[in-house]
Amino acid sequence: MPFAICSLKDFSRVDPTQPFCFTACTDQEHSLICPQDRIPDNVLEHSGPWRCFRVRQTMDLDLVDNFAKMTRLLVGNGIGVFSTSTFNTDYVFVPENQWDKARAMLEQHHFLPGDPAES
């Protein structure tokens, strides 16, 4: 499933009950990660398409080493990375045109147990 990373004026046109709706709000911006076919019409700009790996292992919030190793592997091999997390799960987004390369690298280095859990 292709995703978009968006900058929004506000969240008025976002349905947070839809699956894979990641929002962030700071004093300077409103951001959204959503399936590309659900980009709201009040988007200021967006990037995509991105594809997503769901990290199957629940990571202790105090342990970041494995996640850091995984992202360093991808970035060190020229693969763009964007990540986000929920309380229990980490998600790694890569540009759609780098998906196959990223998947092969993560499988080769045993970060994925066989098939990745593609979102």
Side-chain angles (χ1 to χ4, degrees), residues 28-94:
Q28 297 182 352
E29 65 181 311
H30 294 80
S31 295
L32 169 71
I33 304 170
C34 65
Q36 190 140 342
D37 63 355
R38 289 202 318 253
I39 296 173
D41 61 8
N42 64 339
V43 67
L44 299 173
E45 61 182 295
H46 71 280
S47 172
W50 293 77
R51 297 280 299 271
C52 179
F53 291 98
R54 181 183 349 222
V55 179
R56 287 190 178 188
Q57 177 184 358
T58 300
M59 293 191 185
D60 184 320
L61 293 176
D62 295 326
L63 300 175
V64 296
D65 192 45
N66 281 340
F67 191 74
K69 286 178 184 176
M70 180 175 57
T71 56
R72 274 194 308 270
L73 171 69
L74 295 172
V75 171
N77 284 280
I79 297 171
V81 173
F82 185 89
S83 64
T84 193
S85 300
T86 62
F87 189 84
N88 290 323
T89 310
D90 294 297
Y91 297 85
V92 176
F93 295 84
V94 299

